[in-house]
Amino acid sequence: MRLNITGPPRQPVFVYSIASINVLLWILLEVSGNSTNPSSLRKFGAIDSYLIWSGEYWRLASAIFLHVGASHLAINSISLVIMGGLTERLYGHRNFISIFLVTGIIGSTASYMNIENGVVGAGASGAIFGCLGSLVSFFYIRKETLGKSGKQTLNGLIILALVNLAFGFVIPAIDNWAHIGGFIAGISSGYFLAYHPKTAQPPHSLQIPNIGQKARLPLLIFFAVSIIISLLAIGNSLYEPAKAFPVF
């Protein structure tokens, strides 16, 4: 595989597909009982600490595609098209969908470890922060190759991440644990998929040779699954079912 920002641009087909799924599920939520209704969100697969502790681990993935209200959907859709679109163009289709799902699920798991009983969590923002983190890795690796513009882009991405994380600590109802988990997972995943040993390339080459690239994606998935299982184990051990109460 080659990561090349000067070649023909890849069309972000997965980004548009995910955005379409998000909109469709939001419409179904609205029709079935309002996308801001906690009970409706739970039925469609939102994060709920008690239900996940009870064994419904699939919610860690399904919650990524659900959104609470029209404004939440609109903001995340725009962010997904921008951040996710660039990630898919730079990393390729398979790597993008892997980054999106891995970082989204790790973000959901971080949310599960910290969410209170009776509170639901939903949204693609953990995966979007994952895409942002992968872009930070991409431009960090190439900061010398891309010159001043690459360093400016890297600085801009870092500032964007820090500002959004700061807002997450200030504004109520924002699941900043999902953002932090997704961002860290995105930096790690992006660096793992984009890193390559130094080779005898021209000094201004923007292409990465296919050095063990085929082995990286399965390894990423293996390590991601291991991390998710570990975080779930920690979350389950910390959870206190005696404090749970009926929510339906």
Side-chain angles (χ1 to χ4, degrees), residues 210-223:
N210 187 11
I211 301 177
Q213 188 66 43
K214 291 183 179 179
R216 292 183 190 177
L217 191 54
L219 280 174
L220 171 64
I221 295 172
F222 171 78
F223 286 122

Side-chain angles (χ1 to χ4, degrees), residues 159-221:
I159 292 171
L160 178 64
L162 292 176
V163 168
N164 278 277
L165 289 173
F167 273 119
F169 285 111
V170 174
I171 301 176
I174 290 182
D175 191 351
N176 221 26
W177 286 106
H179 296 176
I180 294 170
F183 185 65
I184 294 174
I187 290 176
S188 303
S189 300
Y191 193 87
F192 184 77
L193 290 173
Y195 172 77
H196 65 99
K198 291 183 179 180
T199 60
Q201 296 183 60
H204 298 294
S205 173
L206 301 178
Q207 297 182 338
I208 294 181
N210 187 11
I211 301 177
Q213 188 66 43
K214 291 183 179 179
R216 292 183 190 177
L217 191 54
L219 280 174
L220 171 64
I221 295 172

